[in-house]
Every structure is written in C-alpha cells, then in structure tokens.
C-alpha cells in the first residue's frame, strides 16, 4: 500500500454500513474513499452524512475503482458470495459482513479465489476485536473459572413492523440463526471449540425459515452449550460461561462493546466486575484497525479471524441448519 491512509470503499448503503462508516473516523490511517449503492441517489444521500471522494451508483463501479484498497461488503447475507467475488475479481481486498456466506461451499470458494489471487479476505466478526472479548479470552486462559462445563446464551428481540425485510425473507438469507444466532454459535465455538454432537430445532415462519432456533452442542469431555435465538420475543442478550471454580456473565448485549463482564465465585456472592477499557464509537473501529494493520503487513489472512475460523463457523451453521431443517436456494 503506497498511500498514507488505507482507502476504504463501502458496498451497500444500509444500516450497518452507516455505523461502520461512522466508526472509520476513529481509525487514524483510514479514509472513506468510495461508497456504492444500487441507486446513485441513495449513495449520494449516504455520502451527505459520510463524505467520500467517489460516489458510485453500482457495485461494479466501486469494485473497478483503482483508487480503492479495500471494500467492506455490507449487503444481505444472500449477496455476500457474489459481491465478494466481484471485489476479488477486481483485485480488491475484502472485509465481508457476517455470515460470510449462505453456506460453507460458498465460503470455501470465496477463500479459494482470494488465496489464488493473493488478496486479503476476512469475515467481519467484529466481536472478536472488542476489548471485552479479548478480556474474556485472557480470563479463560488464566483458568479463572476452572474447567468450563457449559455455555448458555440467549439472543432475541421482537421484530418491529419497520424491521428490515431481509430478516424474514428466505431469498435474502432471512431467519434468526444466520442473523443473530451466529453470535451465539461464534461465542460457543470460541470458548469450547468444535462440538462432537449438534442438536437443533426451530419454530418455522410461514415462509419456512427460523423465527426461533434452539441449538445444543455436546462435547465428549462433558461440556455442553445451549444457544437460543428468537425474532418473536425479547430475551436477555446475555452469555453465561460456567466453570468448576466459578461463573462468568457477559451482560446484555454480550457481543457489543456495551457488554460488562461479571465474575461469580459462589451462588449468592456479589459479582466481581471485570474492568474493560471503553472508547467512543459503535465498536467497528477495532476490526477496521485490524484490517488496516493486516493490509500494511501485506497479509492475505487475518491472524485473529482466520479463514479456518470462518470455515468452522460456516460448517457448524450448515450442520445446525441441516439438523433443524433450514434451507436456502443457494444450498
Ligand atoms: N456486524 C454487525 O454488527 C452487523 C449488524 C447488522 C447487520 N450485519 C450484517 O450486515 C449485512 C447487512 O445488514 P443491514 O442490517 O445493514 O441490512 P440493510 O439495512 O437491509 O442493508 C443492506 C443493504 O444491502 C444492499 N442490497 C443489495 N442487494 C439487496 C437486495 N436484494 N435487497 C436488499 N438490500 C440489498 C442495499 O444497499 P443499496 O440499496 O445501497 O445497494 C441495502 O441497503 C447483513 O449480512 C447482516 O448480517 C452485521
């Protein structure tokens, strides 16, 4: 990279794109250089709030823009595969939103193309870069709560009438598992590793996707995880990590920087609050800084969110879907 700042492009001017664009202000060596929408007018509207030198009315134009170093793909899940391949075809590095793809077959292909073309590609699992998640990893490494026997996570909210249509539309990869349940799965995998057995079932919407999804991971060493996601009721968006010497609670929302970590030794005892550093912004600046560092080092893969991590996550989601009966056209 020959420029003092990494030149970012954003593909798709939706809700998460706005938060990410806002957080780029906290990344000192990043510039929002280009934005692209399927509608030029929408891209212009977006750039009123988040100014960029290049405003494109098509994704193809952004991908082909030689003044862009890396593209953040912020489109619905169903489009991550084709949008990422479009960027790679034009030799762009890519940070692709979660879920990386609809299934592991697509994910494998995306990774294969990036490796063949020696381009950086990472799934935007932003939680992995947040200070509280890193603190949690440190606590587990220090064996603070002994052997971990269970991970219990709920993530649910009642969809409001103005919720994005993509959440319930099978054509756009709708359903709780790929949208919010993925955080539960990611967290359980990162704490307990690949499960030996997966059980799962859903409450299906009239269009056949999961309005609620219950997942159980079983491990030969006796550990278990119970993961529940819902679009029909509010649930505490908390994670409990239970060990032989104590318990850790990640308060709502466990995947965001607003989360606090509480350590419990014995039932009835007051929780010990674990201090975590906070900064301004939504929290997407951490992953963006990491991508910048990787690009400056000429890496093709993040050492933190590796391709292997993405494939394990995607394959686990595939198994859950197969077990519970969630299918998409791309399967
Ligand atoms: N990391 C996180 O915290 C987080 C949070 C929320 C969402 N996400 C992920 O980010 C992705 C986008 O979510 P979002 O909440 O930003 O969704 P959204 O508000 O619906 O925006 C998605 C954007 O994708 C573009 N798009 C392209 N093809 C489309 C199609 N056929 N139908 C609808 N939109 C289409 C649209 O942009 P244009 O009209 O400008 O082309 C749209 O604004 C999802 O994969 C989601 O899982 C991540």
């Amino acid at each position: 990279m020959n420029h003092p700042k990494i030149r970012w492009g954003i593909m798709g001017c939706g809700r998460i794109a706005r938060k990410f664009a806002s957080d780029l202000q906290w990344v000192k060596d990043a510039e929002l250089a280009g934005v692209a929408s399927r509608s030029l007018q929408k891209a212009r509207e977006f750039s009123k709030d988040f100014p960029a030198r290049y405003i494109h009315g098509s994704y193809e134009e952004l991908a082909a823009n030689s003044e862009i170093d890396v593209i953040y793909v912020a489109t619905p899940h169903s489009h991550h595969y084709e949008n990422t391949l479009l960027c790679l075809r034009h030799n762009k590095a890519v940070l692709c939103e979660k879920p990386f793809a609809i299934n592991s077959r697509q994910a494998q292909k995306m990774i294969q193309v990036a490796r063949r073309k020696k381009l950086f590609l990472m799934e935007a699992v932003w939680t992995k870069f947040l200070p509280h998640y890193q603190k949690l990893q440190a606590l587990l490494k220090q064996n603070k709560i002994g052997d971990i026997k269970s991970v219990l996570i709920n993530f649910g909210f009642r969809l409001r009438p103005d919720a994005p249509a993509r959440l319930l539309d099978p054509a756009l990869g709708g359903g709780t598992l790929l949208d919010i349940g993925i955080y539960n799965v990611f967290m359980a995998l990162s704490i307990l590793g690949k499960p030996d057995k997966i059980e799962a079932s859903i409450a299906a919407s009239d269009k056949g996707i999961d309005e609620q999804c219950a997942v159980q991971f079983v491990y030969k060493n006796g550990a278990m995880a119970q993961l529940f996601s819902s679009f029909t009721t509010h649930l505490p968006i908390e994670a409990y990590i239970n060990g032989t010497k104590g318990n850790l609670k990640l308060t709502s929302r466990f995947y965001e920087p607003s989360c606090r970590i509480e350590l419990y030794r014995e039932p009835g005892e007051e929780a010990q609050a674990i201090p975590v550093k906070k900064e301004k912004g939504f929290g997407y600046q951490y992953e963006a800084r990491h991508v910048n560092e990787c690009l400056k080092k000429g890496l093709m893969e993040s050492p933190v969110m590796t391709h292997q991590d993405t494939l394990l996550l995607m394959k686990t989601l595939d198994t859950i879907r197969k077990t519970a009966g969630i299918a998409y056209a791309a399967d």
Side-chain angles (χ1 to χ4, degrees):
M1 303 280 155
N2 299 323
H3 294 268
K5 292 200 173 192
I6 302 286
R7 299 165 302 177
W8 281 81
I10 293 184
M11 186 171 278
C13 295
R15 293 166 199 236
I16 195 61
R18 291 192 155 263
K19 291 187 174 174
F20 186 87
S22 169
D23 273 353
L24 280 183
Q25 71 182 294
W26 310 112
V27 186
K28 64 178 183 329
D29 55 351
E31 175 199 356
L32 177 58
V35 297
S37 168
R38 294 162 302 161
S39 133
L40 183 57
Q41 194 188 330
K42 189 170 164 192
R44 284 193 178 128
E45 287 294 321
F46 188 91
S47 69
K48 278 187 198 155
D49 295 329
F50 308 104
R53 271 186 291 144
Y54 300 97
I55 299 162
H56 298 294
S58 85
Y59 295 168
E60 178 85 37
E61 270 179 41
L62 175 73
N65 184 339
S66 60
E67 298 291 306
I68 301 290
D69 299 314
V70 54
I71 294 178
Y72 170 57
V73 172
T75 55
H77 325 333
S78 48
H79 289 57
H80 293 173
Y81 176 67
E82 73 175 73
N83 295 157
T84 295
L85 289 182
L86 172 69
C87 299
L88 296 174
R89 256 202 312 282
H90 286 280
N91 297 315
K92 294 296 186 293
V94 178
L95 172 66
C96 177
E97 257 310 336
K98 45 60 55 181
F100 193 60
I102 289 291
N103 55 39
S104 61
R105 188 184 46 77
Q106 290 186 337
Q108 239 143 3
K109 172 81 180 171
M110 291 151 77
I111 290 170
Q112 222 174 49
V113 173
R115 285 186 176 169
R116 180 161 41 80
K117 299 198 80 175
K118 299 195 176 358
L119 293 165
F120 179 83
L121 175 61
M122 186 183 106
E123 181 179 10
V125 180
W126 66 308
T127 306
K128 214 165 181 185
F129 301 90
L130 297 176
H132 80 274
Y133 176 83
Q134 281 167 5
K135 175 65 89 173
L136 170 68
Q137 292 303 310
L139 293 171
L140 297 179
K141 217 168 172 181
Q142 292 159 17
N143 202 30
K144 279 273 185 215
I145 57 168
D147 296 338
I148 299 181
K149 291 294 178 186
S150 65
V151 171
L152 309 174
I153 310 179
N154 289 315
F155 192 156
F157 52 87
R158 201 166 55 225
L159 280 189
R160 293 198 322 219
D162 65 341
R166 68 171 183 81
L167 294 178
L168 289 175
D169 185 349
L172 297 176
T176 68
L177 179 67
L178 294 193
D179 202 71
I180 55 176
I182 185 173
Y183 285 108
N184 305 353
V185 173
F186 151 72
M187 193 58 91
L189 287 178
S190 77
I191 295 168
L192 294 173
K194 184 173 185 262
D196 296 304
K197 188 166 124 199
I198 293 177
E199 291 158 356
S201 44
I202 61 166
S205 75
D206 51 3
K207 290 185 177 160
I209 47 105
D210 55 308
E211 275 184 347
Q212 300 208 86
C213 181
V215 178
Q216 196 154 278
F217 289 172
V218 184
Y219 295 82
K220 284 188 180 140
N221 68 0
M224 297 182 85
Q226 270 195 338
L227 315 170
F228 192 80
S229 49
S230 175
F231 280 159
T232 51
T233 60
H234 295 304
L235 294 172
I237 305 174
E238 298 167 342
Y240 293 84
I241 303 154
N242 308 305
T244 49
K245 291 196 304 188
N247 307 61
L248 285 166
K249 173 180 173 183
L250 303 187
T251 67
S252 190
R253 300 176 163 202
F254 71 86
Y255 66 98
E256 284 191 352
S258 58
C259 162
R260 286 175 288 105
I261 304 179
E262 295 173 355
L263 171 65
Y264 296 83
R265 291 279 180 211
E266 293 295 335
E269 255 182 32
E270 212 173 299
Q272 181 190 335
I274 306 290
V276 176
K277 109 178 172 262
K278 304 269 178 204
E279 54 174 87
K280 285 182 192 158
F282 295 106
Y284 298 96
Q285 67 268 33
Y286 298 98
E287 65 177 355
R289 282 181 199 139
H290 176 74
V291 172
N292 277 13
E293 277 168 33
C294 291
L295 293 177
K296 286 181 166 174
K297 287 182 187 157
L299 302 183
M300 283 177 281
E301 181 176 352
S302 156
V304 177
M305 186 65 206
T306 65
H307 292 166
Q308 211 41 51
D309 292 335
T310 286
L311 288 174
L312 174 61
L313 184 53
M314 284 304 330
K315 284 179 184 167
T316 307
L317 293 169
D318 283 359
T319 307
I320 295 169
R321 290 204 293 111
K322 204 167 163 204
T323 311
I326 313 167
Y328 298 104
D331 299 326

